[in-house]
Amino acid sequence: VGGGTYRRPVRDTPYLAVDVDVLDRNLAAMADAARDRGLRLRPHAKTHKCVEIARRQVALSGAGLTVATVAEAERFAAAGFDDLFLAYPIVASGPRAGRLRALADRVALRVGVESAEAAALLGRAVQGLEVLVEVDSGHHRTGVTPERAGEIATAATAAGLAVVGVFTFPGHGYGPGDRGRAAADESATLAVAAAALEQAGVPAHVRSGGSTPTAALSDAAVLTELRPGVYAFFDAQQAELGSAGLADVALTAVATVVSRAPGRAVLDAGSKILSADRPAWTTGYGRLPDCPAARVVALSEHHATVVFPDGAEVPAVGEPVRVAPNHVCTAVNLADELVVVSDGVEVDRWAVAARGANT
Amino acid sequence: VGGGTYRRPVRDTPYLAVDVDVLDRNLAAMADAARDRGLRLRPHAKTHKCVEIARRQVALSGAGLTVATVAEAERFAAAGFDDLFLAYPIVASGPRAGRLRALADRVALRVGVESAEAAALLGRAVQGLEVLVEVDSGHHRTGVTPERAGEIATAATAAGLAVVGVFTFPGHGYGPGDRGRAAADESATLAVAAAALEQAGVPAHVRSGGSTPTAALSDAAVLTELRPGVYAFFDAQQAELGSAGLADVALTAVATVVSRAPGRAVLDAGSKILSADRPAWTTGYGRLPDCPAARVVALSEHHATVVFPDGAEVPAVGEPVRVAPNHVCTAVNLADELVVVSDGVEVDRWAVAARGANT
């Protein structure tokens, strides 16, 4: 971090910094790739939760956003976004029913459904609401088997909902070497689910899939829409999966060395700024883009313990170090704002407008 | 959750709820145990980050608070707390130097130090600041070996700091069966470090240790002060370590079932409300106090996948389920407020005043 004719303003660590030039390159690359393949890009805003980034995404794709919660939908709707897909099996009980109604009055809203019980609640909350049936393509989280998609569509139609298609999240592509298989599963599952809908008399106009690792591999003859999120920033996990290089990581935690020993330093960035996500196959709790051979071997709330390779210079107490989090979505959700940097110079700050928007 | 003559107001999930009766019982038990052993209790406020809970703790112990960051110290100082120990090897560079000066002008402040470099920066920031030398009792994170405590004390004194003692965090007690050994290491390390200080001509008036798992086992002939934090709420991890029972867990995430299959349910509480902390020895990503045999086998941002034992009733779509997070400190830091419950009735809401106070 440096260069330019300005000095970076001194700021206490740890904080999250976004390299806006890398961000813009990532956003354009995904938008171009989707357009080239004839797929609608509906980026998942849960990754960044920032109005400024969502605006860039919508300007590039000409389509709407994906969100994970009603609260995220509310915050993006308040910022003027009028086309939102809530890719989650929403249970419209309690105050959430009225909140969904208010949202549906204001924006083009679609939500996920995967049970007759949830369809009945949604139908009571918002008659005519557009829904997509969630199917399980191998991640085994939520979603019905594709063969059951017609049954759910029928229940949804009976509840007064407007079924417009099917969606899945191929989350089992988040493992080394798993991307190709997960993308193939996703396409095959959506094809079966779409056929099941047609058999039930409901055309599956929307066939929505896509995650950052699988987005480039989805079958454009089956899918109509992609919903990747992480690609805006990438992260250590995506670099280790091969979805991107460390040079493509647009968001890092800027930390300070607080303790040092031979071959080892402790930074002031811990799980309260990086988050503690650590899939078993990762090399540690994040990566150092400026020293790719270093390993983050331990993480507590305000400490990251970094082991440096033989011969590498260990930074001194007080020196700044950038850390790419393992999972950028959970790191962003810990920060009130992102510090925006271009050419090493701080140029802006963006509020994490949907931070903590869990309900 | 139920009972009383009031109905709990309906609230959209997920949210964090504190059973204030269990909280008060936990606070009193630790305060009584410390008093009985002649140890000062200086609770770590990073766990709850709530003014209301800190007030209860200070009223019980008559002593100050421990905090992890300058920002936490600032927020508790702003709420009127005037005796704060920043148990962290503070690097007083950049704006942090002036922030420390402002704090030291306002409250009785002590901070940690474990290198000559950090001592020099602290001395430049606040002449006469009280410091404790951090020593490593086996957790191998920060802190010098106890034999080196005198060398650091000498450097701190030379930098114009007032060395008042030594401290350690026996974090290697966070493993099954490790509590006794970690507590013994803590006591032995603090004794050696205190002797090293005395040899360097600096009396170690304060010998501070303690963590929730080890607090009851510390040697009261060596230690003068305990700094446990998690004991206020406990969590799934502490229950699995044997520090507490699931009935002692005062904070849970209240979630809703969004998907159900035989023997299995998916809840709307994920890593953005529970946090993703998962030590290898835990049984999963949290525990269900109302169904101790259930296992949280997978966690994503807005999903917890729960497997129920044979014969157990799987809750229906729409039903509420309480989840004790693995690590309550990182869960609290995700919430803007805690919903306070007594006898199943919502009685208050407490702001997480120091949420996100990382710098």
Side-chain angles (χ1 to χ4, degrees):
Chain A
V1 184
T5 50
Y6 304 92
R7 262 188 74 228
R8 180 168 61 88
V10 178
R11 179 180 283 284
D12 285 336
T13 59
Y15 61 89
L16 298 184
V18 174
D19 185 316
V20 68
D21 306 308
V22 178
L23 169 74
D24 281 337
R25 194 176 73 208
N26 294 344
L27 297 183
M30 185 65 82
D32 289 348
R35 190 181 308 108
D36 287 350
R37 302 173 62 219
L39 291 168
R40 187 184 309 110
L41 178 63
R42 187 187 275 279
H44 210 313
K46 75 180 169 68
T47 296
H48 54 73
K49 293 176 174 272
C50 284
V51 169
E52 291 81 356
I53 299 176
R55 284 204 186 111
R56 285 168 142 85
Q57 290 177 316
V58 168
L60 283 165
S61 70
L65 297 175
T66 304
V67 293
T69 68
V70 176
E72 280 185 350
E74 288 168 339
R75 300 210 195 161
F76 282 102
F81 295 87
D82 61 1
D83 181 1
L84 301 172
F85 172 37
L86 229 168
Y88 193 85
I90 294 293
V91 174
S93 55
R96 194 177 278 123
R99 293 166 60 206
L100 271 176
R101 234 181 340 264
L103 264 174
D105 281 347
R106 180 170 186 175
V107 305
L109 183 69
R110 289 172 177 170
V111 313
V113 66
E114 58 102 86
S115 68
E117 296 91 327
L121 287 166
L122 281 174
R124 277 205 288 279
V126 191
Q127 274 292 300
L129 181 64
E130 291 195 351
V131 297
L132 277 75
V133 176
E134 184 176 10
V135 288
D136 177 12
S137 51
H139 187 40
H140 305 323
R141 190 174 66 180
T142 48
V144 294
T145 57
E147 293 77 11
R148 288 192 57 215
E151 168 199 333
I152 303 299
T154 300
T157 304
L161 300 168
V163 179
V164 297
V166 291
F167 80 107
T168 193
F169 174 62
H172 57 313
Y174 279 69
D178 293 342
R179 291 193 289 155
R181 181 175 58 89
D185 288 346
E186 171 192 56
S187 303
T189 302
L190 287 175
V192 172
L197 248 65
E198 312 267 347
Q199 273 200 330
V202 183
H205 296 301
V206 183
R207 299 176 296 276
S208 176
S211 67
T212 291
T214 58
L217 308 170
S218 302
D219 184 347
V222 174
L223 276 72
T224 62
E225 179 177 283
L226 294 174
R227 308 185 316 276
V230 173
Y231 79 95
F233 297 135
F234 292 113
D235 52 24
Q237 180 174 269
Q238 294 295 334
E240 297 194 350
L241 280 176
S243 309
L246 277 178
D248 301 315
V249 174
L251 182 145
T252 52
V254 182
T256 298
V257 175
V258 297
S259 180
R260 185 203 204 198
R264 186 175 172 280
V266 179
L267 314 178
D268 63 1
S271 59
K272 282 179 173 170
I273 186 85
L274 292 169
S275 84
D277 284 57
R278 202 216 150 160
W281 49 264
T282 56
T283 63
Y285 294 90
R287 290 289 290 273
L288 275 50
D290 303 313
C291 185
R295 291 292 174 266
V296 184
V297 298
L299 198 71
S300 43
E301 287 158 67
H302 299 284
H303 306 74
T305 303
V306 183
V307 171
F308 289 83
D310 284 350
E313 200 185 345
V314 179
V317 168
E319 279 191 39
V321 175
R322 300 191 305 148
V323 186
N326 266 348
H327 186 188
V328 73
C329 304
T330 47
V332 165
N333 187 49
L334 291 163
D336 290 313
E337 62 177 23
L338 308 180
V339 175
V340 186
V341 174
S342 177
D343 277 333
V345 178
E346 187 174 319
V347 293
D348 205 350
R349 294 185 299 165
W350 291 338
V352 182
R355 186 199 55 73
N358 284 320
T359 60
Chain B
V1 183
T5 49
Y6 304 92
R7 262 187 74 227
R8 180 169 62 86
V10 177
R11 178 181 283 284
D12 284 335
T13 60
Y15 61 89
L16 299 184
V18 175
D19 185 316
V20 68
D21 307 307
V22 177
L23 169 74
D24 281 338
R25 193 175 76 206
N26 294 343
L27 296 182
M30 184 64 82
D32 289 348
R35 190 182 306 108
D36 288 350
R37 302 173 63 217
L39 292 168
R40 187 185 308 111
L41 178 62
R42 187 185 275 280
H44 210 313
K46 75 180 168 68
T47 297
H48 53 72
K49 293 177 174 274
C50 284
V51 169
E52 291 81 357
I53 299 176
R55 285 204 185 108
R56 285 167 140 87
Q57 290 177 315
V58 168
L60 284 165
S61 70
L65 297 175
T66 304
V67 293
T69 67
V70 176
E72 281 186 350
E74 288 168 339
R75 301 211 194 160
F76 282 102
F81 294 88
D82 60 1
D83 180 2
L84 302 172
F85 173 36
L86 228 169
Y88 193 85
I90 293 293
V91 174
S93 55
R96 195 178 276 123
R99 293 166 60 206
L100 272 176
R101 238 183 335 267
L103 265 174
D105 281 347
R106 180 172 187 174
V107 304
L109 182 70
R110 289 173 176 168
V111 313
V113 65
E114 58 100 88
S115 68
E117 296 90 326
L121 287 167
L122 281 173
R124 277 206 287 278
V126 192
Q127 274 291 300
L129 181 65
E130 291 194 352
V131 297
L132 277 75
V133 177
E134 184 176 11
V135 289
D136 177 12
S137 51
H139 187 40
H140 306 323
R141 190 173 66 180
T142 48
V144 294
T145 57
E147 294 78 9
R148 287 192 57 214
E151 169 199 334
I152 302 299
T154 300
T157 305
L161 300 168
V163 180
V164 298
V166 291
F167 80 106
T168 194
F169 174 63
H172 58 313
Y174 279 68
D178 293 341
R179 291 194 289 156
R181 180 175 61 88
D185 289 346
E186 172 192 55
S187 302
T189 301
L190 287 175
V192 172
L197 248 66
E198 311 268 349
Q199 273 200 330
V202 183
H205 296 303
V206 182
R207 299 177 295 278
S208 176
S211 67
T212 292
T214 58
L217 307 170
S218 302
D219 185 346
V222 174
L223 276 72
T224 62
E225 178 177 282
L226 293 174
R227 308 185 317 276
V230 173
Y231 78 97
F233 296 135
F234 291 113
D235 52 25
Q237 179 173 269
Q238 296 294 333
E240 297 194 349
L241 281 175
S243 309
L246 276 178
D248 302 314
V249 174
L251 182 145
T252 51
V254 181
T256 298
V257 175
V258 297
S259 180
R260 186 205 206 195
R264 184 175 174 282
V266 180
L267 314 178
D268 63 1
S271 59
K272 282 181 172 169
I273 186 86
L274 292 168
S275 84
D277 285 58
R278 202 215 151 162
W281 48 266
T282 55
T283 62
Y285 294 91
R287 291 289 289 273
L288 274 52
D290 303 313
C291 186
R295 292 291 175 266
V296 184
V297 298
L299 198 71
S300 43
E301 287 159 65
H302 299 285
H303 306 73
T305 303
V306 183
V307 171
F308 289 83
D310 283 350
E313 200 186 345
V314 179
V317 168
E319 281 192 37
V321 175
R322 301 190 307 146
V323 186
N326 266 348
H327 186 188
V328 73
C329 304
T330 46
V332 165
N333 187 49
L334 291 163
D336 290 313
E337 63 177 22
L338 308 180
V339 174
V340 186
V341 173
S342 177
D343 277 334
V345 179
E346 187 175 320
V347 294
D348 205 351
R349 293 185 300 165
W350 292 338
V352 183
R355 186 199 56 73
N358 284 321
T359 59

